[in-house]
Amino acid sequence: GFDSENLYIEGDNLEVLKLLQETYLGKIKMIYIDPPYNTGNDFVYEDDFAQSTEEYLANSGQFDDEGNRLVANTESNGRFHTDWLNMIYPRLRLAKDLLSNDGVVFISINDNEVDNLRKVCDEVFGGANFVSEFIWKSRQNKDNRNVTGVSIDHEYIICYQKTTGLRALKGGERKTEQYSNPDNDPRGPWASANMVGLLSAEQRPNCHYDLINPQTGINYGKPEMGWRYDKNTMAKLIAENRILWPVNSTGRPRKKSFLSEISEVLPGYSSVVGNDIYTRTATAELAKFFNKKYFEYPKPVGIIKDFILQSTQKGSIILDFFSGSATTAHAVMQLNAEDSGNRKFIMVQIPEATDEKSEAHKAGYKNICEIGKERIRRAGKKIKEENPVGTQDLDTGFRVLKCDTSNMKDVYYNPNEYDLPQIGESVDNIKEDRTPEDLLFQVMLDLGVLLSSKIEETVIAGKKVFNVADGFLIACFDENVTDETITAIAKQQPYYFVMRDSSLANDSVATNFEQIFATYSSDTVRKVL
């Protein structure tokens, strides 16, 4: 519904990424995608439509709902890698511009294209912005089918950042269990730390000395590799009561290490991810929602949720333009439920038809988008059921937008097609099957207004009026709009006002239109479709 700021966009992701350019430029904190791995039977998008009938019949891939062709990229294709790269490159170029300066991109991939993908990303994001090639042990059981005798048990997630040198990920979890405060030290919890040195007497002579407790006179001697600190530093530690002295001279003095003094910087996040989470875990996760297996290789919620936690803030926008089974949307909602976040997702998926023999098709899901949307609904419902108290305000809804050709008719008149009297009549230059909502979202994109903005629908003098982002944009696409509606809108002093060319009831309203705005809101930018 309109009240959700999450978006699910159906269409070819290349076109969608172009449409999002202006509105979402620099606004996306994290992108995760799971593109086709180019295994020889994946479909890739055929972006070039200039081909002869023979070529077309030779390719004859399937179409999505919008008539974009999806073509199987078979290994026998002489341009096997090239076709895949031609598909991924322009999409990554567009995606980069959507990332915020501190934005991060994660891409799942396997051995088939990992080296090519690294090269493409080096070119698009810059080699200096490579963060990591994460390794995920995705296969739980050995695969004995490989001729070479190797079971390929892992996949990669490649990570790049938009700006060089920033801390891309927050870091690993810090273990704090060993800190306690048995002696009520006013400095708080502490752990006992080793003080034995690491260098020989030749390398660091000033750290080789007998250590004596000044209070008791016990001499603890010196370890073979000396101490970690020289005499001056050690004297300071003793004076500050930071040394733990053993009862016997044979014991080894240790240092109090205080939890409060540990650096803020977390330990590094491991480049090996998804411990004990496998593809089959993800398949089972998804099958739980549908009681059937609809996707071959879905990604696990846990891994993506962890990446989102690592690389976003609580109000960030996360984009996935190969949405598939919509795992990313599920992961965003799940994490929000856990840390009271307010992250938003934008999912993009081409409505690729489901195979007629597949379980999904038999269950009535005509294309992948239908499964993805239903998964988000069911996951959202389950998350709320599991934690009814903490998730009252959790946004599990989403707006569905379909990316089609422009809403405007191509208006080219041939003079001899018209009888003369028609010329003075107003012509509606908008395609017949477009709803007011279609036009509203087009206007929002044209004006760079976030598609997730608050939209309120009201009726003024019998006409439907959209108020976007608290009066920033007001639009009315109904026919026969009268002075009364226009006056009410002008009095709200929107920044933008948009209507259809053919909307105004008659010529006198058209004349008054300018006058009304001049009176009540002369600064409003007025646009006519």
Side-chain angles (χ1 to χ4, degrees), residues 8-51:
Y8 188 101
I9 308 177
E10 300 183 20
D12 180 341
N13 53 18
L14 187 68
E15 295 309 312
V16 174
L17 289 166
K18 287 177 190 167
L19 280 173
L20 296 177
Q21 282 304 300
E22 192 167 335
T23 313
Y24 285 89
L25 196 73
K27 291 196 167 70
I28 307 287
K29 181 68 173 79
M30 171 194 169
I31 295 173
Y32 168 80
I33 54 170
D34 179 19
Y37 283 8
N38 206 16
T39 56
N41 41 26
D42 290 311
F43 281 102
V44 298
Y45 299 79
E46 183 76 87
D47 292 328
D48 178 15
F49 297 119
Q51 57 172 191

Side-chain angles (χ1 to χ4, degrees), residues 72-320:
N73 191 20
T74 54
E75 278 154 344
S76 56
N77 171 10
R79 295 165 51 86
F80 181 60
H81 293 291
T82 313
D83 282 356
W84 189 87
L85 288 168
N86 285 344
M87 182 277 293
I88 204 76
Y89 177 75
R91 289 163 171 85
L92 289 177
R93 281 289 302 265
L94 289 163
K96 180 196 177 184
D97 294 334
L98 298 176
L99 277 180
S100 57
N101 281 335
D102 57 353
V104 185
V105 59
F106 296 87
I107 307 171
S108 280
I109 201 72
N110 70 358
D111 286 338
N112 298 341
E113 299 293 351
V114 67
D115 50 340
N116 288 323
L117 181 60
R118 284 279 302 266
K119 291 185 183 82
V120 170
C121 288
D122 282 346
E123 185 173 325
V124 172
F125 298 99
N129 290 327
F130 170 69
V131 174
S132 174
E133 185 167 293
F134 292 101
I135 292 172
W136 168 42
K137 183 181 185 305
S138 54
R139 178 184 284 282
Q140 188 171 3
N141 300 332
K142 292 281 171 272
D143 176 8
N144 302 321
R145 297 166 300 184
N146 202 333
V147 193
T148 58
V150 174
S151 173
I152 304 293
D153 295 339
H154 70 285
E155 294 180 14
Y156 305 99
I157 297 117
I158 289 190
C159 179
Y160 280 76
Q161 58 184 358
K162 176 88 169 264
T163 307
T164 317
L166 295 182
R167 191 173 172 104
L169 276 70
K170 290 172 185 154
E173 284 182 53
R174 166 163 292 121
K175 302 273 186 282
T176 54
E177 299 84 78
Q178 75 269 34
Y179 291 89
S180 64
N181 198 353
D183 58 352
N184 295 322
D185 191 304
R187 290 164 289 192
W190 53 269
S192 143
N194 181 15
M195 293 198 301
V196 173
L198 301 163
L199 300 168
S200 66
E202 286 74 58
Q203 291 165 304
R204 273 198 81 183
N206 59 338
C207 285
H208 286 254
Y209 54 86
D210 281 0
L211 180 57
I212 298 166
N213 178 349
Q215 308 277 266
T216 62
I218 296 176
N219 183 347
Y220 296 92
K222 60 170 178 270
E224 198 184 340
M225 301 306 269
W227 299 105
R228 219 162 259 206
Y229 312 105
D230 62 21
K231 277 185 169 169
N232 290 340
T233 310
M234 191 67 87
K236 197 160 164 273
L237 292 170
I238 293 171
E240 289 174 2
N241 198 11
R242 286 172 184 255
I243 304 297
L244 300 160
W245 303 103
V247 183
N248 297 323
S249 59
T250 51
R252 210 27 77 75
R254 290 171 68 88
K255 183 184 96 160
K256 278 186 170 184
S257 170
F258 290 97
L259 181 59
S260 60
E261 293 171 352
I262 294 183
S263 127
E264 286 299 297
V265 179
L266 288 168
Y269 183 77
S270 174
S271 63
V272 180
V273 297
N275 246 333
D276 299 327
I277 301 179
Y278 308 101
T279 301
R280 56 187 299 181
T281 321
T283 310
E285 243 172 17
L286 195 56
K288 270 212 301 269
F289 288 117
F290 295 105
N291 305 318
K292 286 272 179 7
K293 183 174 159 186
Y294 290 162
F295 274 93
E296 278 307 312
Y297 301 105
K299 289 292 166 286
V301 174
I303 292 180
I304 299 176
K305 189 183 75 176
D306 218 25
F307 283 143
I308 298 170
L309 175 65
Q310 281 293 322
S311 63
T312 69
Q313 279 89 42
K314 287 188 178 180
S316 299
I317 303 175
I318 292 101
L319 167 68
D320 180 345

Side-chain angles (χ1 to χ4, degrees), residues 54-81:
E54 295 84 53
E55 277 182 293
Y56 172 68
L57 288 170
N59 283 0
S60 68
Q62 61 156 320
F63 285 84
D64 64 35
D65 294 359
E66 308 294 355
N68 299 311
R69 210 167 54 252
L70 292 158
V71 179
N73 191 20
T74 54
E75 278 154 344
S76 56
N77 171 10
R79 295 165 51 86
F80 181 60
H81 293 291

Side-chain angles (χ1 to χ4, degrees), residues 2 4-7 9 19-29 98 315-318 344-346 399 401 440-456 467-470 472-473 496:
F2 273 162
S4 174
E5 292 180 47
N6 297 316
L7 303 177
I9 308 177
L19 280 173
L20 296 177
Q21 282 304 300
E22 192 167 335
T23 313
Y24 285 89
L25 196 73
K27 291 196 167 70
I28 307 287
K29 181 68 173 79
L98 298 176
S316 299
I317 303 175
I318 292 101
K344 302 297 167 203
F345 62 74
I346 302 178
R399 296 178 183 181
L401 304 176
L440 180 66
F441 284 114
Q442 179 192 320
V443 166
M444 287 166 72
L445 282 168
D446 291 346
L447 299 178
V449 181
L450 288 182
L451 297 176
S452 56
S453 304
K454 186 167 115 194
I455 300 172
E456 291 170 301
N467 180 332
V468 180
D470 298 319
F472 180 70
L473 158 68
Y496 285 115

